[in-house]
Amino acid sequence: MSDLNPGMTPHAGSTRLDCIPGTLCDARLWSRLSPLLGDKADLRHIPLHLARTRAQMQALIASHSAPASHLLGFSLGAYLALEHALAHPQRVKSLTLIANSAQGLQPGEIATRQRVVTMLERNAYAGITRQRLRELLHPAHLQDASITELIRHMGLDLGKDVLLAQFITTIERPDLMARLPEITCPVLIVGAEDDKLVNPDHLRAMAARLPHATLRMLDGGCGHMSGHMIPLEAPHALAGAIRAHLEAMDNFNDNGGHSAPRPLTS
């Protein structure tokens, strides 16, 4: 686990968020989000790239998160957070799920990943392609070097072995939709209507099945344009959703878990 604000003492009123990144991402994924949360949240990064198997990924989450954790997961990390919450409900106080479907990967994305695995097993990894960036990002951000270069550098630094391990061990993701009613803690779901990798209707279906869910869909309004990489593309909107989630969660806990709203959309 790594503190995203090394050398700084967490604010007394802050909430610790244990952050699980997505495929080929490290702590830099949260670099735009963390400053916007200020003293409201203390972000802790879980180094998912150290794992080479699905079991190791779950072991990392268990060992690097708080005993009663507020988990924040992006993409693959959100799916793993759901698995962790279902396996260890007593260890999870809340979930924030960003850009991920409980139904697993869409068929087109599975096919893409299988092609990448075949290619990587035969060749060196040369970094993320322009085509992949077009799949990950909203068109408005394809020329934003501060985003594209950060994604490129994470990929090159983590490298081929991490990418292969994460792709191979997580291509098959069981459909968790039927089990979502088991999750009784507050859940924030954040997605983007323009995400090419995650069907927005899947997120709406997730919110409808979770007992205490809030759904925030980014549709480009108020300048919040985003594709899949929401923490980098729309950090202000994400930070606002997380702040509201933490405030609602405090009310939920203060009232014994009886006053959380039904799913909200925006």
Side-chain angles (χ1 to χ4, degrees), residues 23-24 116 119-120 123-136 148-161 163-164 167:
T23 302
L24 217 57
V116 170
M119 180 188 68
L120 285 175
N123 304 284
Y125 178 60
I128 193 166
T129 64
R130 189 67 180 173
Q131 174 59 33
R132 188 58 172 173
L133 284 174
R134 284 193 288 268
E135 294 167 351
L136 292 173
T148 59
E149 289 306 299
L150 190 152
I151 294 172
R152 290 183 195 278
H153 284 302
M154 284 195 295
L156 287 171
D157 292 346
L158 294 176
K160 174 179 174 176
D161 289 345
L163 180 55
L164 269 175
F167 267 17

Side-chain angles (χ1 to χ4, degrees), residues 41-266:
D42 171 26
L43 271 61
R44 308 292 186 93
H45 174 69
I46 296 176
L48 197 65
H49 66 277
L50 298 179
R52 290 296 180 270
T53 67
R54 186 74 151 268
Q56 288 176 3
M57 290 177 183
Q58 285 298 344
L60 269 174
I61 294 169
S63 64
H64 285 68
S65 60
S69 61
H70 300 287
L71 287 180
L72 183 155
F74 165 71
S75 195
L76 167 62
Y79 184 88
L80 294 172
L82 272 175
E83 284 191 326
H84 180 79
L86 289 167
H88 309 284
Q90 75 283 358
R91 291 200 54 181
V92 179
K93 295 181 70 175
S94 79
L95 290 170
T96 298
L97 309 173
I98 307 166
N100 182 76
S101 168
Q103 297 184 34
L105 298 174
Q106 297 189 66
E109 177 63 9
I110 291 174
T112 296
R113 290 178 177 230
Q114 288 172 334
R115 288 195 298 271
V116 170
V117 167
T118 299
M119 180 188 68
L120 285 175
E121 288 176 337
R122 299 173 181 171
N123 304 284
Y125 178 60
I128 193 166
T129 64
R130 189 67 180 173
Q131 174 59 33
R132 188 58 172 173
L133 284 174
R134 284 193 288 268
E135 294 167 351
L136 292 173
L137 299 175
H138 189 284
H141 299 135
L142 284 171
Q143 304 305 319
D144 187 338
S146 66
I147 295 176
T148 59
E149 289 306 299
L150 190 152
I151 294 172
R152 290 183 195 278
H153 284 302
M154 284 195 295
L156 287 171
D157 292 346
L158 294 176
K160 174 179 174 176
D161 289 345
V162 170
L163 180 55
L164 269 175
Q166 292 182 341
F167 267 17
I168 291 171
T169 196
T170 66
I171 283 179
E172 295 299 328
R173 303 182 191 182
D175 189 333
L176 302 177
M177 290 292 287
R179 297 193 62 192
L180 292 185
E182 299 175 29
I183 298 177
T184 57
C185 66
V187 181
L188 170 64
I189 301 171
V190 182
E193 297 288 355
D194 293 320
D195 188 339
K196 296 181 179 67
L197 302 185
V198 178
N199 187 332
D201 289 337
H202 290 183
L203 304 189
R204 286 184 269 270
M206 287 170 60
R209 286 175 177 260
L210 287 158
H212 302 294
T214 299
L215 174 64
R216 175 76 164 96
M217 293 300 298
L218 307 181
D219 60 5
C222 300
H224 298 317
M225 293 176 291
S226 185
H228 187 65
M229 302 297 292
I230 293 172
L232 298 176
E233 296 184 83
H236 286 85
L238 178 57
I242 290 173
R243 284 195 298 268
H245 172 59
L246 295 179
E247 291 167 4
M249 186 177 61
D250 288 341
N251 294 331
F252 178 85
N253 291 331
D254 289 344
N255 289 281
H258 299 296
S259 61
R262 289 298 301 157
L264 303 175
T265 61
S266 61

